[in-house]
Amino acid sequence: MPPSQVVTRCTLTLRLAFHVQCNTLHPRHPGFWKMLPVAVWVALLGCLQAQELQEHVSIILLGATGDLAKKYLWQGLFQLYLDEAGKGHHFSFHGAALTAPEQGQEVLAKVLESLSCPKDVAPDRCAELKGQFQRLSQYRQLKTPEDYLALSKDMEALVQREGLREAGRIFYFSVPPFAYADIARSINSSCRPGPDAWLRVVLEKPFGHDYLSAQQLAEELGSFFQEEEMYRVDHYLGKQAVAQILPFRDQNRKALDGLWNRHHVERVEVVLKETLDAEGRTSFYEEYGVIRDVLQNHLTEILTLVAMELPHDASSSAAVLQHKLQAFQALRGLRRGSAVLGQYQAYSEQVRRELHKPDGFQSLTPTFAGILVHVDNLRWEGVPFILMSGKALDERVGYVRVLFKNRAFCAQSEKQWVGDRSRCLPQQIVFYIGHGELGSPAVLVSRTLFRPALPAGSWKELEARPEVRLFGRPLSDFYAYGPVREQDAYSTLISHIFHGRKDSFITTENLLASWVFWTPLLEGLAREAPRLYPGGAENGHLLDFEFRGSELAFCLQQPEQLVPGPGSAPPRPSDFQVLRATYRDSPLVAAWPEELIAKLADDIEAAAAKAVQRFGQFHLALSGGSSPVALFQQLAAGHYGFPWAHTHLWLVDERCVPPWDPESNFQGLQTHLLRHVWVPHYNVHPMPVHLRRRLCAEEDRGAQAYAEEISALVTNGSFDLVLLGMGTDGHTASLFPQSPTGLDGEQLVVLTESPVKPHHRMSLSLPLINRARKVAVLVMGKLKRDITLLVSRVGHQPKKWPISGILPDSGQLVWYMDYEAFLG
Ligand code: BG6
């Protein structure tokens, strides 16, 4: 409060106190002087209290008459009022929408009437509190920038009139994302509070449709608001069991230290099953589907809370974010085989009806998905994380279940175990999000593990419920805790927003990291026909799935179609054989990415088997970068017959960075292949870019040393197979346009300069590559379309396009291109 207002307020309260004093007692009355100090005290208290009571917060709910607002947000705001008004906070609530004032006011009045108080508030008191809240809540039509300006003026006037201090404004966007930009612009230009008050804007998903759209939206919003002003809601982070994951890991560090890792965890399941379907929401759902609706956000957030390294200070949002981002980086890229998809049978009909589609229309949007995720770090290597969600399933339940390995074998039958905690029982930790058998949130730890510590004031042990069975076990198998006071997710999050607690919200970096992870899979699945399922209990075992290697597959074969559906749609191009043609007069294999990678991996395995049979060993030189990652994963996962023990692995090129640097090609090979297959370490030949703690120093003669190693081990310097890529500028290996190094001459290995960072590279030379028995060039993605077209037309011009210099002396060259690179 400005000092002048403080003075005015205090003078007023002092005058009031003396006025009361003088009107009740005459100065000559003996009690007058006795009571004077009391009056002064009362006045000062009043003055202080007045000062404390003066903070005012305006909350503007945009989309105030929409579904989310009606169902959760108004109730959450009411809860905030109940929790905070008594602590001296002043509020005004503005329900805003495009609806005309009278109509809007009517809807709002109904919503406010339906609000409820917590169970422990008596009905009379509840009615009184509701009345107060209703008086503070008004409807406003907000359409134009002028409307926002008028709102701002009104808020300022209110604060002035009441002699309050404006603490801040919260704008809650409960509107479709296409409306975000206009509203954001209006708020930024006309509705920001004064310099001493904060602004918080709350955003609801969807935050984009894929990486690019999310990035665009983030950039757009970033031009109006600071990062710290934005609160992106993922309401699952407000669910009590989810919010407890990190505190639980923190409070039970000692017990979990040895357990929370690949040696002990069998698998992690993150599950959200729903019984409702998408009827009435198909205009949204048809565009998003289950992965974008639930997995990319809610389930991924939960996954990272389980998988991330626990910061020393688990309450620091900066540290949590940093560790979360690291967890994202460790997620292994998803492939088409990482997913199984389903669609409830009535879905297409609902879409046809609600979206006025023609009779024959069959949607490909999945309403069910199971995804297998791997976290490639030391803690989680090899542990499957299963994410699963679907509509129209047999039950509604959400949970995260960490299932531990069980090495015990019990000789005695279960009947004899009474009162005994047998080591044979499943060992698990479950964060039970809600619904299901328990019907409420809970944290459960198998009694054979340890007795957990939970925050005493807010979590309590659950009472015995003999009728409840979880994952086939009675509740008594667990130490089971539930929240003392259940609170819905939105109320929790609204309270966090009010208190400026950013740790329960999605930052831009976090959001983009999630889209980086999901976008390739979503693109790969865009034309995939989901398996149809009848819905509810009738689904039987139709949607059960299992992992085979690093792939997921339904346990049951596709049954006869129940009705003609997407599964019976005409075959897509990917159902055909790979396309064979020529490119630059050499064989070309073109296919969808998965088939392409599968074909290349098969061809490499065939070449390996042949070489080992003939010469006893196979010399394979591999490129780095992103395209071969899927190939490495494929080789690691599905090629059990590969003669790894007789394979020598060489690098085609390397960046001049230390071997532990994530940019290092060797590091990529290590992460995606070497960790998963057994290649004798003396058969692995990283490029010596890091010698004497220096990077690619000429005088260390690393390139010469590599050339000597090749000459010593590879007959005639002729690799059995060299895998290359093609850059958008026509570079291959680390041989770049307009740079003469390595394009001809005697040198087998050279140091080169790249136009992009890291600039210094080591590379096999063109003459050495051309000595290979087979050269495979892998080209993937639409970014390669232009160069693919260009290179198809140019002659032998390695100085301009080094890739055009690939002409094996006596070996074979084969191009492997996905349709995006080849056809655009
Ligand atoms: C929403 C999805 O984010 O989460 C819905 O859009 C889904 O499709 C809902 O039903 C599930 O949330 P809850 O809180 O009902 O479990």
Side-chain angles (χ1 to χ4, degrees):
M1 184 189 288
S4 59
Q5 276 188 31
V6 175
V7 172
T8 325
R9 282 247 133 197
C10 290
T11 323
L12 264 174
T13 40
L14 278 167
R15 275 171 57 190
L16 190 69
F18 284 113
H19 180 76
V20 173
Q21 162 96 1
C22 297
N23 280 321
T24 34
L25 295 172
H26 192 271
R28 282 206 211 110
H29 188 283
F32 181 90
W33 297 105
K34 257 194 199 160
M35 288 305 287
L36 191 58
V38 178
V40 172
W41 262 115
V42 169
L44 283 175
L45 270 179
C47 159
L48 281 173
Q49 216 178 9
Q51 202 177 339
E52 261 175 28
L53 283 175
Q54 301 318 304
E55 299 245 305
H56 180 87
V57 173
S58 313
I59 302 185
I60 303 95
L61 177 50
L62 302 146
T65 50
D67 276 352
L68 184 71
K70 283 186 195 158
K71 230 167 139 184
Y72 298 111
L73 302 180
W74 280 110
Q75 184 64 46
L77 293 176
F78 182 42
Q79 187 61 49
L80 177 76
Y81 175 72
L82 296 180
D83 293 342
E84 303 295 339
K87 297 178 193 158
H89 292 113
H90 269 225
F91 291 99
S92 55
F93 301 93
H94 306 264
L98 299 175
T99 319
E102 270 170 35
Q103 215 180 328
Q105 187 58 54
E106 220 172 278
V107 180
L108 182 60
K110 276 196 198 136
V111 180
L112 297 182
E113 202 39 58
S114 68
L115 297 176
S116 57
C117 297
K119 285 185 202 121
D120 53 356
V121 180
D124 286 357
R125 177 74 185 131
C126 180
E128 193 186 324
L129 291 166
K130 253 168 76 170
Q132 290 168 5
F133 182 72
Q134 282 161 340
R135 281 190 289 282
L136 295 174
S137 307
Q138 285 165 11
Y139 178 79
R140 257 197 116 92
Q141 185 182 31
L142 280 187
K143 264 182 160 175
T144 60
E146 293 73 43
D147 293 339
Y148 283 85
L149 192 60
L151 168 66
S152 187
K153 293 235 156 83
D154 287 354
M155 290 190 287
E156 276 160 28
L158 173 98
V159 166
Q160 281 289 328
R161 201 172 52 239
E162 306 273 322
L164 306 166
R165 181 183 93 80
E166 180 160 32
R169 295 180 186 179
I170 296 174
F171 286 85
Y172 200 120
F173 286 48
S174 177
V175 294
F178 64 77
Y180 277 14
D182 282 345
I183 298 179
R185 189 172 300 111
S186 297
I187 295 174
N188 185 42
S189 63
S190 328
C191 228
R192 279 185 168 275
D196 296 332
W198 43 254
L199 170 71
R200 294 181 189 146
V201 291
V202 188
L203 306 161
E204 276 285 344
K205 81 179 176 70
F207 308 120
H209 190 259
D210 54 12
Y211 176 73
L212 272 183
S213 54
Q215 196 187 30
Q216 265 169 15
L217 184 62
E219 266 172 27
E220 199 160 29
L221 289 169
S223 65
F224 302 119
F225 306 123
Q226 310 282 334
E227 181 69 31
E228 66 267 20
E229 290 174 335
M230 287 189 275
Y231 288 68
R232 278 192 200 86
V233 170
D234 182 316
H235 78 281
Y236 263 64
L237 294 181
K239 302 250 177 196
Q240 285 171 298
V242 175
Q244 196 47 224
I245 297 177
L246 283 187
F248 175 89
R249 290 183 56 191
D250 189 34
Q251 288 201 3
N252 296 281
R253 264 179 208 264
K254 228 172 158 190
L256 290 174
D257 243 8
L259 286 178
W260 209 250
N261 58 50
R262 69 192 152 114
H263 300 298
H264 293 275
V265 175
E266 170 87 25
R267 68 192 206 197
V268 178
E269 301 167 352
V270 187
V271 170
L272 167 56
K273 289 173 72 177
E274 298 187 272
T275 46
L276 283 183
D277 63 20
E279 192 167 20
R281 281 181 85 202
T282 54
S283 61
F284 161 81
Y285 209 83
E286 182 55 5
E287 240 186 89
Y288 288 86
V290 66
I291 298 183
R292 292 182 171 93
D293 185 34
V294 165
L295 282 92
Q296 175 274 326
N297 36 67
H298 308 326
L299 302 198
T300 306
E301 283 305 310
I302 296 173
L303 163 79
T304 56
L305 293 176
V306 174
M308 69 187 234
E309 293 300 308
L310 193 60
H312 286 299
D313 178 4
S315 61
S316 145
S317 27
V320 169
L321 173 64
Q322 194 202 350
H323 285 69
K324 227 186 210 186
L325 293 174
Q326 281 166 5
F328 271 113
Q329 275 179 4
L331 297 184
R332 186 186 301 170
L334 296 170
R335 297 179 283 152
R336 222 165 66 179
S338 314
V340 287
L341 301 180
Q343 184 191 86
Y344 64 86
Q345 207 179 308
Y347 179 74
S348 280
E349 166 52 27
Q350 291 172 352
V351 174
R352 287 194 292 268
R353 191 165 10 94
E354 290 179 13
L355 306 183
H356 311 291
K357 298 275 184 193
D359 278 354
F361 176 81
Q362 296 292 343
S363 165
L364 291 179
T365 304
T367 60
F368 167 88
I371 308 280
L372 175 61
V373 179
H374 279 283
V375 184
D376 279 329
N377 59 23
L378 274 180
R379 183 181 292 280
W380 294 117
E381 190 190 327
V383 178
F385 283 71
I386 297 159
L387 309 190
M388 193 270 256
S389 184
K391 300 270 182 207
L393 300 183
D394 60 322
E395 60 173 342
R396 181 167 189 204
V397 66
Y399 60 83
V400 190
R401 179 181 180 219
V402 181
L403 184 68
F404 291 87
K405 293 181 182 169
N406 200 338
R407 298 190 181 87
F409 174 83
C410 290
Q412 204 170 29
S413 68
E414 192 172 349
K415 278 180 271 167
Q416 317 296 330
W417 297 351
V418 190
D420 163 26
R421 301 282 157 222
S422 167
R423 300 282 304 166
C424 289
L425 290 173
Q427 302 184 11
Q428 43 198 330
I429 296 179
V430 182
F431 298 93
Y432 203 83
I433 300 168
H435 306 286
E437 279 286 296
L438 266 182
S440 55
V443 175
L444 307 143
V445 178
S446 292
R447 286 185 187 266
T448 44
L449 284 172
F450 59 91
R451 179 188 271 281
L454 274 107
S458 46
W459 288 75
K460 62 170 192 314
E461 239 177 300
L462 291 182
E463 280 161 23
R465 288 175 60 187
E467 78 288 1
V468 171
R469 289 185 79 80
L470 294 171
F471 311 106
R473 302 300 315 169
L475 190 59
S476 55
D477 267 17
F478 300 91
Y479 294 112
Y481 295 80
V484 171
R485 182 179 134 199
E486 261 189 64
Q487 183 156 6
D488 91 277
Y490 279 100
S491 300
T492 306
L493 292 179
I494 286 174
S495 160
H496 288 186
I497 296 159
F498 174 74
H499 290 287
R501 275 187 54 184
K502 287 221 75 176
D503 49 338
S504 328
F505 299 89
I506 309 293
T507 64
T508 305
E509 270 181 297
N510 183 169
L511 174 73
L512 296 180
S514 176
W515 278 118
V516 165
F517 177 63
W518 286 103
T519 302
L521 179 78
L522 286 163
E523 281 172 3
L525 293 175
R527 294 181 205 86
E528 190 86 357
R531 168 176 286 198
L532 287 182
Y533 58 93
E538 273 180 68
N539 293 339
H541 291 291
L542 200 58
L543 297 176
D544 294 354
F545 55 86
E546 61 192 10
F547 15 103
R548 301 182 184 151
S550 64
E551 308 241 313
L552 274 193
F554 284 117
C555 299
L556 296 180
Q557 290 284 316
Q558 172 79 45
E560 288 294 308
Q561 283 296 288
L562 303 146
V563 288
S568 57
R572 302 165 299 107
S574 64
D575 298 328
F576 293 116
Q577 280 287 311
V578 288
L579 180 72
R580 282 157 209 282
T582 56
Y583 179 82
R584 291 182 62 83
D585 298 329
S586 293
L588 163 76
V589 179
W592 295 102
E594 296 263 329
E595 278 96 359
L596 185 74
I597 293 295
K599 172 84 177 101
L600 176 55
D602 286 349
D603 289 355
I604 296 177
E605 182 172 347
K610 202 162 140 196
V612 172
Q613 200 182 24
R614 286 180 64 193
F615 313 113
Q617 51 192 1
F618 175 56
H619 288 277
L620 173 62
L622 293 170
S623 293
S626 55
S627 291
V629 167
L631 173 71
F632 296 166
Q633 291 170 345
Q634 175 82 18
L635 286 171
H639 288 259
Y640 304 115
F642 202 104
W644 291 116
H646 304 283
T647 298
H648 282 257
L649 288 176
W650 301 85
L651 283 192
V652 164
D653 63 335
E654 183 55 287
R655 294 138 192 243
C656 294
V657 293
W660 56 83
D661 191 297
E663 299 251 34
S664 153
N665 285 346
F666 185 69
Q667 188 60 240
L669 186 65
Q670 170 81 9
T671 307
H672 300 292
L673 182 65
L674 291 176
R675 275 193 195 167
H676 311 282
V677 296
W678 188 78
V679 181
H681 69 88
Y682 42 82
N683 280 7
V684 179
H685 308 280
M687 278 186 156
V689 287
H690 190 235
L691 294 170
R692 301 189 186 93
R693 296 170 140 205
R694 297 189 291 209
L695 291 169
C696 296
E698 287 276 3
E699 52 276 39
D700 291 337
R701 299 179 56 79
Q704 288 83 342
Y706 206 56
E708 281 160 22
E709 202 175 337
I710 294 169
S711 304
L713 294 173
V714 185
T715 316
N716 300 329
S718 184
F719 290 108
D720 294 303
L721 199 148
V722 175
L723 175 73
L724 298 176
M726 172 163 75
T728 47
D729 57 354
H731 83 260
T732 191
S734 277
L735 305 169
F736 294 95
Q738 318 299 355
S739 149
T741 331
L743 298 178
D744 46 26
E746 296 293 305
Q747 271 182 281
L748 301 184
V749 183
V750 289
L751 290 175
T752 65
E753 290 281 324
S754 153
V756 292
K757 277 185 173 172
H759 296 301
H760 300 289
R761 310 285 177 99
M762 188 179 284
S763 176
L764 303 188
S765 68
L766 205 50
L768 178 63
I769 294 171
N770 280 333
R771 279 195 215 168
R773 287 175 211 281
K774 182 165 177 175
V775 177
V777 186
L778 175 62
V779 191
M780 291 177 61
K782 54 176 174 271
L783 289 181
K784 301 288 170 71
R785 175 63 200 135
D786 291 346
I787 190 69
T788 306
L789 199 63
L790 182 76
V791 168
S792 72
R793 297 186 188 135
V794 302
H796 182 254
Q797 294 189 59
K799 288 207 169 127
K800 270 188 153 171
W801 300 284
I803 189 74
S804 71
I806 300 296
L807 290 169
D809 304 337
S810 57
Q812 191 195 22
L813 166 63
V814 182
W815 299 86
Y816 293 83
M817 293 188 186
D818 72 353
Y819 288 135
E820 284 201 324
F822 181 54
L823 302 170

